[in-house]
């Protein structure tokens, strides 16, 4: 075997700009095409907004104006203090340059490392920053991180503040589109966490008067059992209520940063609620009985917070007080012990409703405990790796792995489909779970069925969500079924399973549907995969009328080599999401309930058959 040469020429030193552009994922996480709320284009908006919100936190400016225009240019204008003019260029172009390294000018802010807006600059084809301070202004322009213009002005008649305007670089991100719903949600969240702050998005005004109480009311998909408990103190705000379903839902924040993967403060909240309620009711409740159906939010203000990565999705630091070291856990525990206990004593009606809910949870848990124990034993005995689950090597709870957020599991039906995905997957991060036939319609059933039904029991065991959603082994749970009637039915049954018993998988943005192509259009030189009739027509136009057209009738017809095209970098995923506007109970009752004739009439009234589709089938 010939030896591969390795010399001094193979060792390279990259500039910060070149390194960011070569490995953008290190700085902003997933790139994506804008179809997912955590895609890189939204991270860039957040990095710019963080700086403007930090100005508000420091008492400088209560208005931020944001626009996203038709040319995909994002502009953020705040009315804070404005970046000092002499260091404006350094502040947006030199890594590790920041006003937040222990400076009194910024405390309890989310910006920490002097990285965020530099990444926006380096990853944009056009980037402009303008600062106005007391009639003086400076504007610096960049192209792909390289400075192209620098203009100073005097006697300007503008309010103090900073403007950042940019268009992300397609050569880095590829084709992308902004989903304005995702941008709107980020902006709403900033206002919930910063009462008194007004943000305008394309002229629409967003402001919150009640903080986390508004957030809870906006995000709950069902009526709460009791009016949300809203508690505020120095550097902490908490809102708590319970719903009627299963699972736990948490929204956690530090210095206006949405810590979507939780961390120290969220764990402390869960502990504190259980401990406080057990002491209040003077009963040794099981923790799961207290937390089932809980919907809660927590926001902390912390000096020098520690996060597990540049994207700041998980808090890992301690909170220091003037008298020594107090952990965040103890800080949260002490706050809840005092304020939640006081609230329940002052509001006996809420206390009675909450007590009855915990008792109902306890009763159901005990009723299924025997079945649950037996089901766990069965799940352990079954050889998952050989029969149902082709596991991957890295999992979401592998905190030392920088690829843990790349982990995913495909839930598919049938040996041929699961076999093709298994052969073409990345075995490091992609797992496959194979269903046998159509799963049970679980709507209206109790959680006991999860343990009695073999498919559901083994699926929850594979996901590791039996006892706690925080133990989920994969960042993305992907439903991969055929695009025909049977496939759609299986997809609905799987979604019903999660909606009914594990809604947190959806609420925490873990559940997706894999989009697979309906057509393959190819000639001797090129192959195009099409996900709709419109894409097929465009492919025929591009490749010529004599191109060969294949219609895929199921996943089993797609070969393993072709599957690499659909579950790799070009994978199209449709997120399954829940918002307050989604009447979950009503939808499940209509589509999965026993109203057969009503649903049948709806299907007949809404049935549409495309002529071209019929030709393909013929």
């Amino acid at each position: 075997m010939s030896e591969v040469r390795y010399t001094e020429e193979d060792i390279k030193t990259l500039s910060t700009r070149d390194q960011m552009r070569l490995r953008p994922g290190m700085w902003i996480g997933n790139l994506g095409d804008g179809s997912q709320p955590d895609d890189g284009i939204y991270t860039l908006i957040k990095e710019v907004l963080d700086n403007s919100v930090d100005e508000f936190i420091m008492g400088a400016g209560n208005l931020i104006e944001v626009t996203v225009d038709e040319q995909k240019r994002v502009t953020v204008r705040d009315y804070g203090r404005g970046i000092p003019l002499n260091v404006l260029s350094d502040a947006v172009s030199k890594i590790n340059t920041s006003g937040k390294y222990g400076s009194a000018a910024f405390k309890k802010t989310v910006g920490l490392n002097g990285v965020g807006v530099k990444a926006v600059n380096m990853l944009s084809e056009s980037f402009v920053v303008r600062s106005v301070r007391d009639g003086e202004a400076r504007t610096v322009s960049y192209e792909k991180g390289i400075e192209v213009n620098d203009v100073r002005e005097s006697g300007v008649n503008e309010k103090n503040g900073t403007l950042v305007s940019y268009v992300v670089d397609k050569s880095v991100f590829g084709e992308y589109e902004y989903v304005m719903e995702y941008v709107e949600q980020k902006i709403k969240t900033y206002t919930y966490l910063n009462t008194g702050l007004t943000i305008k998005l394309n002229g629409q005004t967003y402001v919150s008067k009640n903080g986390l109480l508004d957030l809870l009311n906006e995000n709950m998909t069902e009526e709460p059992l009791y009016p949300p408990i809203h508690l505020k103190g120095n550097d902490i705000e908490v809102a708590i209520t319970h719903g009627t379903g299963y699972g736990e839902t948490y929204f956690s924040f530090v210095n206006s940063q949405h810590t979507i993967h939780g961390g120290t403060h969220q764990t402390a909240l869960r502990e504190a609620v259980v401990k406080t309620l057990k002491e209040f009711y003077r009963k040794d409740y099981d923790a799961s009985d207290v937390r089932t159906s809980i919907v809660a939010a927590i926001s902390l203000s912390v000096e020098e917070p520690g996060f597990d990565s540049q994207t700041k999705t998980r808090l890992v630091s301690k909170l220091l007080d003037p008298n020594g070291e107090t952990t965040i856990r103890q800080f949260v525990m002490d706050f809840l012990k005092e304020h939640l206990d006081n609230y329940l004593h002052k509001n006996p009606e809420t206390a009675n409703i909450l007590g009855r809910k915990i008792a109902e949870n306890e009763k159901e848990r005990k009723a299924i405990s025997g079945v649950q124990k037996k089901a766990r034993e069965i799940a352990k005995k079954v050889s998952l790796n050989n029969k149902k689950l082709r596991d991957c090597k890295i999992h979401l709870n592998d905190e030392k792995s920088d690829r843990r957020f790349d982990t995913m599991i495909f839930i598919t039906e049938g040996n041929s489909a699961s076999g093709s995905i298994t052969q073409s997957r990345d075995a490091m991060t992609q797992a496959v779970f194979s269903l046998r036939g159509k799963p049970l319609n679980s709507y209206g059933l109790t959680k006991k069925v999860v343990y009695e039904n073999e498919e559901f029991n083994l699926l929850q065991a594979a996901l590791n969500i039996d006892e706690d959603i925080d133990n989920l082994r994969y960042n993305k749970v992907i439903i991969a079924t055929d695009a025909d009637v049977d496939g759609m039915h299986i997809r609905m049954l799987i979604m019903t399973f999660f909606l009914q018993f594990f809604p947190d998988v959806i609420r925490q943005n873990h559940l997706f549907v894999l989009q697979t192509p309906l057509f393959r259009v190819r000639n001797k030189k090129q192959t195009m995969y099409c996900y709709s009739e419109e894409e097929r027509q465009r492919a025929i136009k591009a490749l010529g009328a004599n191109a060969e057209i294949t219609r895929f009738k199921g996943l089993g017809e797609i070969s393993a080599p072709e599957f690499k095209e659909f579950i790799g970098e070009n994978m199209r995923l449709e997120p399954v999401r829940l918002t307050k506007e989604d009447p979950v109970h009503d939808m499940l009752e209509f589509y999965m309930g026993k109203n057969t004739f009503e649903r049948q009439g709806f299907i007949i009234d809404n049935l549409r058959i495309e002529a071209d589709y019929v030709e393909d089938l013929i």
Side-chain angles (χ1 to χ4, degrees), residues 516-521 527-537 539 548-552 566 612-613 616:
T516 51
L518 297 174
F519 307 99
R520 179 182 60 212
V521 182
T527 299
M528 298 179 70
Y529 296 97
C530 309
Y531 292 75
S532 66
E533 175 61 23
E534 292 74 16
E535 289 188 16
R536 186 188 79 139
Q537 293 296 340
E548 174 191 291
I549 303 170
T550 301
R551 188 185 193 285
F552 296 118
F566 318 131
D612 291 334
Y613 232 66
D616 286 321

PDB file of all heavy atoms in Angstrom, residues 516-521 527-537 539 548-552 566 612-613 616:
ATOM      1  N   THR A 516     -39.682  12.816   1.186  1.00  0.00           N
ATOM      2  CA  THR A 516     -38.981  12.006   0.187  1.00  0.00           C
ATOM      3  C   THR A 516     -39.522  12.340  -1.197  1.00  0.00           C
ATOM      4  O   THR A 516     -40.688  12.727  -1.341  1.00  0.00           O
ATOM      5  CB  THR A 516     -39.156  10.503   0.463  1.00  0.00           C
ATOM      6  OG1 THR A 516     -40.543  10.210   0.621  1.00  0.00           O
ATOM      7  CG2 THR A 516     -38.404  10.109   1.724  1.00  0.00           C
ATOM      8  N   PRO A 517     -38.698  12.183  -2.231  1.00  0.00           N
ATOM      9  CA  PRO A 517     -39.129  12.603  -3.573  1.00  0.00           C
ATOM     10  C   PRO A 517     -40.238  11.722  -4.138  1.00  0.00           C
ATOM     11  O   PRO A 517     -40.294  10.524  -3.881  1.00  0.00           O
ATOM     12  CB  PRO A 517     -37.840  12.474  -4.397  1.00  0.00           C
ATOM     13  CG  PRO A 517     -37.034  11.453  -3.673  1.00  0.00           C
ATOM     14  CD  PRO A 517     -37.322  11.651  -2.229  1.00  0.00           C
ATOM     15  N   LEU A 518     -41.096  12.360  -4.894  1.00  0.00           N
ATOM     16  CA  LEU A 518     -42.146  11.628  -5.606  1.00  0.00           C
ATOM     17  C   LEU A 518     -41.672  11.174  -6.981  1.00  0.00           C
ATOM     18  O   LEU A 518     -42.137  10.160  -7.503  1.00  0.00           O
ATOM     19  CB  LEU A 518     -43.383  12.519  -5.757  1.00  0.00           C
ATOM     20  CG  LEU A 518     -44.083  12.956  -4.472  1.00  0.00           C
ATOM     21  CD1 LEU A 518     -45.183  13.955  -4.793  1.00  0.00           C
ATOM     22  CD2 LEU A 518     -44.652  11.752  -3.731  1.00  0.00           C
ATOM     23  N   PHE A 519     -40.733  11.941  -7.573  1.00  0.00           N
ATOM     24  CA  PHE A 519     -40.301  11.653  -8.937  1.00  0.00           C
ATOM     25  C   PHE A 519     -38.775  11.719  -9.052  1.00  0.00           C
ATOM     26  O   PHE A 519     -38.116  12.478  -8.326  1.00  0.00           O
ATOM     27  CB  PHE A 519     -40.885  12.666  -9.934  1.00  0.00           C
ATOM     28  CG  PHE A 519     -42.372  12.813  -9.863  1.00  0.00           C
ATOM     29  CD1 PHE A 519     -42.952  13.872  -9.174  1.00  0.00           C
ATOM     30  CD2 PHE A 519     -43.210  11.894 -10.485  1.00  0.00           C
ATOM     31  CE1 PHE A 519     -44.324  14.025  -9.103  1.00  0.00           C
ATOM     32  CE2 PHE A 519     -44.585  12.045 -10.426  1.00  0.00           C
ATOM     33  CZ  PHE A 519     -45.156  13.107  -9.740  1.00  0.00           C
ATOM     34  N   ARG A 520     -38.268  10.929  -9.996  1.00  0.00           N
ATOM     35  CA  ARG A 520     -36.882  11.069 -10.439  1.00  0.00           C
ATOM     36  C   ARG A 520     -36.926  11.376 -11.930  1.00  0.00           C
ATOM     37  O   ARG A 520     -37.536  10.646 -12.713  1.00  0.00           O
ATOM     38  CB  ARG A 520     -36.094   9.784 -10.199  1.00  0.00           C
ATOM     39  CG  ARG A 520     -34.632   9.871 -10.678  1.00  0.00           C
ATOM     40  CD  ARG A 520     -33.903   8.550 -10.452  1.00  0.00           C
ATOM     41  NE  ARG A 520     -34.556   7.477 -11.177  1.00  0.00           N
ATOM     42  CZ  ARG A 520     -34.595   6.202 -10.770  1.00  0.00           C
ATOM     43  NH1 ARG A 520     -34.031   5.854  -9.626  1.00  0.00           N
ATOM     44  NH2 ARG A 520     -35.217   5.276 -11.479  1.00  0.00           N
ATOM     45  N   VAL A 521     -36.319  12.480 -12.308  1.00  0.00           N
ATOM     46  CA  VAL A 521     -36.262  12.882 -13.720  1.00  0.00           C
ATOM     47  C   VAL A 521     -34.791  12.913 -14.114  1.00  0.00           C
ATOM     48  O   VAL A 521     -33.982  13.596 -13.471  1.00  0.00           O
ATOM     49  CB  VAL A 521     -36.897  14.273 -13.925  1.00  0.00           C
ATOM     50  CG1 VAL A 521     -36.863  14.661 -15.403  1.00  0.00           C
ATOM     51  CG2 VAL A 521     -38.335  14.293 -13.405  1.00  0.00           C
ATOM     52  N   THR A 527     -29.389  13.964 -13.129  1.00  0.00           N
ATOM     53  CA  THR A 527     -30.549  13.406 -12.437  1.00  0.00           C
ATOM     54  C   THR A 527     -31.098  14.447 -11.475  1.00  0.00           C
ATOM     55  O   THR A 527     -30.343  15.075 -10.726  1.00  0.00           O
ATOM     56  CB  THR A 527     -30.170  12.134 -11.649  1.00  0.00           C
ATOM     57  OG1 THR A 527     -29.689  11.136 -12.553  1.00  0.00           O
ATOM     58  CG2 THR A 527     -31.381  11.587 -10.895  1.00  0.00           C
ATOM     59  N   MET A 528     -32.415  14.623 -11.485  1.00  0.00           N
ATOM     60  CA  MET A 528     -33.066  15.563 -10.567  1.00  0.00           C
ATOM     61  C   MET A 528     -34.180  14.834  -9.830  1.00  0.00           C
ATOM     62  O   MET A 528     -34.939  14.071 -10.428  1.00  0.00           O
ATOM     63  CB  MET A 528     -33.639  16.762 -11.339  1.00  0.00           C
ATOM     64  CG  MET A 528     -32.585  17.590 -12.060  1.00  0.00           C
ATOM     65  SD  MET A 528     -33.299  18.987 -12.987  1.00  0.00           S
ATOM     66  CE  MET A 528     -33.827  20.050 -11.627  1.00  0.00           C
ATOM     67  N   TYR A 529     -34.238  15.062  -8.519  1.00  0.00           N
ATOM     68  CA  TYR A 529     -35.287  14.473  -7.693  1.00  0.00           C
ATOM     69  C   TYR A 529     -36.311  15.543  -7.373  1.00  0.00           C
ATOM     70  O   TYR A 529     -35.964  16.656  -6.988  1.00  0.00           O
ATOM     71  CB  TYR A 529     -34.685  13.881  -6.415  1.00  0.00           C
ATOM     72  CG  TYR A 529     -33.741  12.739  -6.696  1.00  0.00           C
ATOM     73  CD1 TYR A 529     -32.367  12.954  -6.764  1.00  0.00           C
ATOM     74  CD2 TYR A 529     -34.220  11.449  -6.905  1.00  0.00           C
ATOM     75  CE1 TYR A 529     -31.492  11.911  -7.027  1.00  0.00           C
ATOM     76  CE2 TYR A 529     -33.355  10.394  -7.173  1.00  0.00           C
ATOM     77  CZ  TYR A 529     -31.994  10.640  -7.238  1.00  0.00           C
ATOM     78  OH  TYR A 529     -31.129   9.606  -7.508  1.00  0.00           O
ATOM     79  N   CYS A 530     -37.592  15.195  -7.505  1.00  0.00           N
ATOM     80  CA  CYS A 530     -38.668  16.185  -7.398  1.00  0.00           C
ATOM     81  C   CYS A 530     -39.649  15.783  -6.306  1.00  0.00           C
ATOM     82  O   CYS A 530     -40.080  14.630  -6.235  1.00  0.00           O
ATOM     83  CB  CYS A 530     -39.406  16.300  -8.732  1.00  0.00           C
ATOM     84  SG  CYS A 530     -38.295  16.548 -10.145  1.00  0.00           S
ATOM     85  N   TYR A 531     -40.008  16.764  -5.488  1.00  0.00           N
ATOM     86  CA  TYR A 531     -40.867  16.517  -4.339  1.00  0.00           C
ATOM     87  C   TYR A 531     -42.302  16.968  -4.578  1.00  0.00           C
ATOM     88  O   TYR A 531     -43.140  16.841  -3.692  1.00  0.00           O
ATOM     89  CB  TYR A 531     -40.304  17.234  -3.112  1.00  0.00           C
ATOM     90  CG  TYR A 531     -38.993  16.657  -2.624  1.00  0.00           C
ATOM     91  CD1 TYR A 531     -37.805  16.893  -3.299  1.00  0.00           C
ATOM     92  CD2 TYR A 531     -38.950  15.866  -1.478  1.00  0.00           C
ATOM     93  CE1 TYR A 531     -36.606  16.361  -2.859  1.00  0.00           C
ATOM     94  CE2 TYR A 531     -37.754  15.334  -1.021  1.00  0.00           C
ATOM     95  CZ  TYR A 531     -36.582  15.583  -1.717  1.00  0.00           C
ATOM     96  OH  TYR A 531     -35.399  15.047  -1.269  1.00  0.00           O
ATOM     97  N   SER A 532     -42.581  17.488  -5.744  1.00  0.00           N
ATOM     98  CA  SER A 532     -43.929  17.940  -6.070  1.00  0.00           C
ATOM     99  C   SER A 532     -44.101  17.929  -7.576  1.00  0.00           C
ATOM    100  O   SER A 532     -43.133  17.802  -8.344  1.00  0.00           O
ATOM    101  CB  SER A 532     -44.171  19.357  -5.538  1.00  0.00           C
ATOM    102  OG  SER A 532     -43.337  20.281  -6.222  1.00  0.00           O
ATOM    103  N   GLU A 533     -45.352  18.085  -8.004  1.00  0.00           N
ATOM    104  CA  GLU A 533     -45.636  18.145  -9.436  1.00  0.00           C
ATOM    105  C   GLU A 533     -44.982  19.371 -10.059  1.00  0.00           C
ATOM    106  O   GLU A 533     -44.470  19.310 -11.191  1.00  0.00           O
ATOM    107  CB  GLU A 533     -47.156  18.175  -9.652  1.00  0.00           C
ATOM    108  CG  GLU A 533     -47.585  18.349 -11.101  1.00  0.00           C
ATOM    109  CD  GLU A 533     -47.106  17.215 -11.999  1.00  0.00           C
ATOM    110  OE1 GLU A 533     -46.838  16.104 -11.485  1.00  0.00           O
ATOM    111  OE2 GLU A 533     -46.983  17.456 -13.214  1.00  0.00           O
ATOM    112  N   GLU A 534     -44.945  20.490  -9.318  1.00  0.00           N
ATOM    113  CA  GLU A 534     -44.314  21.703  -9.840  1.00  0.00           C
ATOM    114  C   GLU A 534     -42.817  21.482 -10.073  1.00  0.00           C
ATOM    115  O   GLU A 534     -42.266  21.901 -11.101  1.00  0.00           O
ATOM    116  CB  GLU A 534     -44.523  22.872  -8.868  1.00  0.00           C
ATOM    117  CG  GLU A 534     -45.955  23.359  -8.749  1.00  0.00           C
ATOM    118  CD  GLU A 534     -46.846  22.421  -7.949  1.00  0.00           C
ATOM    119  OE1 GLU A 534     -46.298  21.538  -7.224  1.00  0.00           O
ATOM    120  OE2 GLU A 534     -48.077  22.547  -8.050  1.00  0.00           O
ATOM    121  N   GLU A 535     -42.167  20.811  -9.141  1.00  0.00           N
ATOM    122  CA  GLU A 535     -40.739  20.531  -9.306  1.00  0.00           C
ATOM    123  C   GLU A 535     -40.509  19.574 -10.477  1.00  0.00           C
ATOM    124  O   GLU A 535     -39.519  19.685 -11.198  1.00  0.00           O
ATOM    125  CB  GLU A 535     -40.159  19.940  -8.018  1.00  0.00           C
ATOM    126  CG  GLU A 535     -40.052  20.940  -6.880  1.00  0.00           C
ATOM    127  CD  GLU A 535     -39.288  20.382  -5.690  1.00  0.00           C
ATOM    128  OE1 GLU A 535     -38.595  19.354  -5.845  1.00  0.00           O
ATOM    129  OE2 GLU A 535     -39.391  20.968  -4.592  1.00  0.00           O
ATOM    130  N   ARG A 536     -41.424  18.638 -10.680  1.00  0.00           N
ATOM    131  CA  ARG A 536     -41.283  17.717 -11.804  1.00  0.00           C
ATOM    132  C   ARG A 536     -41.362  18.465 -13.135  1.00  0.00           C
ATOM    133  O   ARG A 536     -40.571  18.217 -14.043  1.00  0.00           O
ATOM    134  CB  ARG A 536     -42.379  16.645 -11.743  1.00  0.00           C
ATOM    135  CG  ARG A 536     -42.196  15.560 -12.816  1.00  0.00           C
ATOM    136  CD  ARG A 536     -43.375  14.618 -12.861  1.00  0.00           C
ATOM    137  NE  ARG A 536     -44.489  15.208 -13.588  1.00  0.00           N
ATOM    138  CZ  ARG A 536     -45.258  14.534 -14.452  1.00  0.00           C
ATOM    139  NH1 ARG A 536     -45.030  13.255 -14.697  1.00  0.00           N
ATOM    140  NH2 ARG A 536     -46.252  15.149 -15.068  1.00  0.00           N
ATOM    141  N   GLN A 537     -42.301  19.396 -13.228  1.00  0.00           N
ATOM    142  CA  GLN A 537     -42.442  20.163 -14.470  1.00  0.00           C
ATOM    143  C   GLN A 537     -41.189  20.999 -14.739  1.00  0.00           C
ATOM    144  O   GLN A 537     -40.732  21.102 -15.887  1.00  0.00           O
ATOM    145  CB  GLN A 537     -43.676  21.073 -14.381  1.00  0.00           C
ATOM    146  CG  GLN A 537     -45.001  20.321 -14.331  1.00  0.00           C
ATOM    147  CD  GLN A 537     -45.268  19.525 -15.605  1.00  0.00           C
ATOM    148  OE1 GLN A 537     -44.696  19.782 -16.661  1.00  0.00           O
ATOM    149  NE2 GLN A 537     -46.136  18.527 -15.506  1.00  0.00           N
ATOM    150  N   ALA A 539     -38.183  20.245 -13.730  1.00  0.00           N
ATOM    151  CA  ALA A 539     -37.103  19.321 -14.088  1.00  0.00           C
ATOM    152  C   ALA A 539     -37.210  18.885 -15.548  1.00  0.00           C
ATOM    153  O   ALA A 539     -36.207  18.800 -16.267  1.00  0.00           O
ATOM    154  CB  ALA A 539     -37.141  18.105 -13.172  1.00  0.00           C
ATOM    155  N   GLU A 548     -36.161  10.654 -18.822  1.00  0.00           N
ATOM    156  CA  GLU A 548     -36.832   9.502 -18.217  1.00  0.00           C
ATOM    157  C   GLU A 548     -37.441   9.926 -16.874  1.00  0.00           C
ATOM    158  O   GLU A 548     -36.768  10.525 -16.036  1.00  0.00           O
ATOM    159  CB  GLU A 548     -35.824   8.377 -17.992  1.00  0.00           C
ATOM    160  CG  GLU A 548     -36.375   7.180 -17.248  1.00  0.00           C
ATOM    161  CD  GLU A 548     -35.273   6.218 -16.831  1.00  0.00           C
ATOM    162  OE1 GLU A 548     -34.684   5.580 -17.717  1.00  0.00           O
ATOM    163  OE2 GLU A 548     -34.986   6.132 -15.613  1.00  0.00           O
ATOM    164  N   ILE A 549     -38.710   9.583 -16.661  1.00  0.00           N
ATOM    165  CA  ILE A 549     -39.413   9.981 -15.443  1.00  0.00           C
ATOM    166  C   ILE A 549     -39.831   8.728 -14.676  1.00  0.00           C
ATOM    167  O   ILE A 549     -40.470   7.835 -15.226  1.00  0.00           O
ATOM    168  CB  ILE A 549     -40.656  10.818 -15.770  1.00  0.00           C
ATOM    169  CG1 ILE A 549     -40.272  12.057 -16.582  1.00  0.00           C
ATOM    170  CG2 ILE A 549     -41.379  11.229 -14.478  1.00  0.00           C
ATOM    171  CD1 ILE A 549     -41.458  12.804 -17.134  1.00  0.00           C
ATOM    172  N   THR A 550     -39.448   8.670 -13.425  1.00  0.00           N
ATOM    173  CA  THR A 550     -39.831   7.565 -12.545  1.00  0.00           C
ATOM    174  C   THR A 550     -40.624   8.119 -11.384  1.00  0.00           C
ATOM    175  O   THR A 550     -40.205   9.089 -10.751  1.00  0.00           O
ATOM    176  CB  THR A 550     -38.594   6.832 -12.000  1.00  0.00           C
ATOM    177  OG1 THR A 550     -37.822   6.328 -13.092  1.00  0.00           O
ATOM    178  CG2 THR A 550     -39.013   5.679 -11.089  1.00  0.00           C
ATOM    179  N   ARG A 551     -41.778   7.517 -11.107  1.00  0.00           N
ATOM    180  CA  ARG A 551     -42.553   7.921  -9.933  1.00  0.00           C
ATOM    181  C   ARG A 551     -42.337   6.897  -8.834  1.00  0.00           C
ATOM    182  O   ARG A 551     -42.603   5.715  -9.003  1.00  0.00           O
ATOM    183  CB  ARG A 551     -44.044   8.014 -10.242  1.00  0.00           C
ATOM    184  CG  ARG A 551     -44.814   8.624  -9.078  1.00  0.00           C
ATOM    185  CD  ARG A 551     -46.313   8.645  -9.274  1.00  0.00           C
ATOM    186  NE  ARG A 551     -46.961   9.484  -8.292  1.00  0.00           N
ATOM    187  CZ  ARG A 551     -47.143   9.162  -7.012  1.00  0.00           C
ATOM    188  NH1 ARG A 551     -46.712   8.000  -6.574  1.00  0.00           N
ATOM    189  NH2 ARG A 551     -47.732   9.999  -6.184  1.00  0.00           N
ATOM    190  N   PHE A 552     -41.816   7.362  -7.681  1.00  0.00           N
ATOM    191  CA  PHE A 552     -41.602   6.476  -6.544  1.00  0.00           C
ATOM    192  C   PHE A 552     -42.930   6.254  -5.834  1.00  0.00           C
ATOM    193  O   PHE A 552     -43.590   7.205  -5.426  1.00  0.00           O
ATOM    194  CB  PHE A 552     -40.597   7.089  -5.567  1.00  0.00           C
ATOM    195  CG  PHE A 552     -39.221   7.271  -6.149  1.00  0.00           C
ATOM    196  CD1 PHE A 552     -38.673   8.534  -6.272  1.00  0.00           C
ATOM    197  CD2 PHE A 552     -38.470   6.179  -6.564  1.00  0.00           C
ATOM    198  CE1 PHE A 552     -37.416   8.716  -6.800  1.00  0.00           C
ATOM    199  CE2 PHE A 552     -37.206   6.350  -7.099  1.00  0.00           C
ATOM    200  CZ  PHE A 552     -36.668   7.620  -7.211  1.00  0.00           C
ATOM    201  N   PHE A 566     -31.115  11.858   0.258  1.00  0.00           N
ATOM    202  CA  PHE A 566     -32.285  12.387   0.958  1.00  0.00           C
ATOM    203  C   PHE A 566     -32.119  12.437   2.475  1.00  0.00           C
ATOM    204  O   PHE A 566     -32.906  13.084   3.148  1.00  0.00           O
ATOM    205  CB  PHE A 566     -33.520  11.537   0.619  1.00  0.00           C
ATOM    206  CG  PHE A 566     -33.608  11.168  -0.828  1.00  0.00           C
ATOM    207  CD1 PHE A 566     -33.846   9.870  -1.215  1.00  0.00           C
ATOM    208  CD2 PHE A 566     -33.413  12.125  -1.816  1.00  0.00           C
ATOM    209  CE1 PHE A 566     -33.914   9.532  -2.553  1.00  0.00           C
ATOM    210  CE2 PHE A 566     -33.479  11.789  -3.153  1.00  0.00           C
ATOM    211  CZ  PHE A 566     -33.726  10.482  -3.523  1.00  0.00           C
ATOM    212  N   ASP A 612     -52.561  15.114 -14.100  1.00  0.00           N
ATOM    213  CA  ASP A 612     -51.214  14.603 -14.360  1.00  0.00           C
ATOM    214  C   ASP A 612     -50.863  13.470 -13.409  1.00  0.00           C
ATOM    215  O   ASP A 612     -50.150  12.536 -13.774  1.00  0.00           O
ATOM    216  CB  ASP A 612     -50.189  15.742 -14.209  1.00  0.00           C
ATOM    217  CG  ASP A 612     -50.313  16.770 -15.311  1.00  0.00           C
ATOM    218  OD1 ASP A 612     -50.799  16.384 -16.392  1.00  0.00           O
ATOM    219  OD2 ASP A 612     -49.943  17.938 -15.096  1.00  0.00           O
ATOM    220  N   TYR A 613     -51.347  13.554 -12.186  1.00  0.00           N
ATOM    221  CA  TYR A 613     -51.091  12.513 -11.204  1.00  0.00           C
ATOM    222  C   TYR A 613     -51.703  11.199 -11.672  1.00  0.00           C
ATOM    223  O   TYR A 613     -51.099  10.140 -11.578  1.00  0.00           O
ATOM    224  CB  TYR A 613     -51.728  12.940  -9.876  1.00  0.00           C
ATOM    225  CG  TYR A 613     -50.793  12.879  -8.709  1.00  0.00           C
ATOM    226  CD1 TYR A 613     -49.689  13.720  -8.642  1.00  0.00           C
ATOM    227  CD2 TYR A 613     -51.017  11.993  -7.664  1.00  0.00           C
ATOM    228  CE1 TYR A 613     -48.839  13.689  -7.565  1.00  0.00           C
ATOM    229  CE2 TYR A 613     -50.166  11.946  -6.585  1.00  0.00           C
ATOM    230  CZ  TYR A 613     -49.074  12.802  -6.541  1.00  0.00           C
ATOM    231  OH  TYR A 613     -48.227  12.752  -5.474  1.00  0.00           O
ATOM    232  N   ASP A 616     -49.678   9.525 -14.365  1.00  0.00           N
ATOM    233  CA  ASP A 616     -48.512   8.826 -13.837  1.00  0.00           C
ATOM    234  C   ASP A 616     -48.889   7.480 -13.239  1.00  0.00           C
ATOM    235  O   ASP A 616     -48.174   6.492 -13.395  1.00  0.00           O
ATOM    236  CB  ASP A 616     -47.826   9.684 -12.763  1.00  0.00           C
ATOM    237  CG  ASP A 616     -47.065  10.844 -13.384  1.00  0.00           C
ATOM    238  OD1 ASP A 616     -46.454  10.627 -14.443  1.00  0.00           O
ATOM    239  OD2 ASP A 616     -47.106  11.948 -12.817  1.00  0.00           O
TER     240      ASP A 616
END
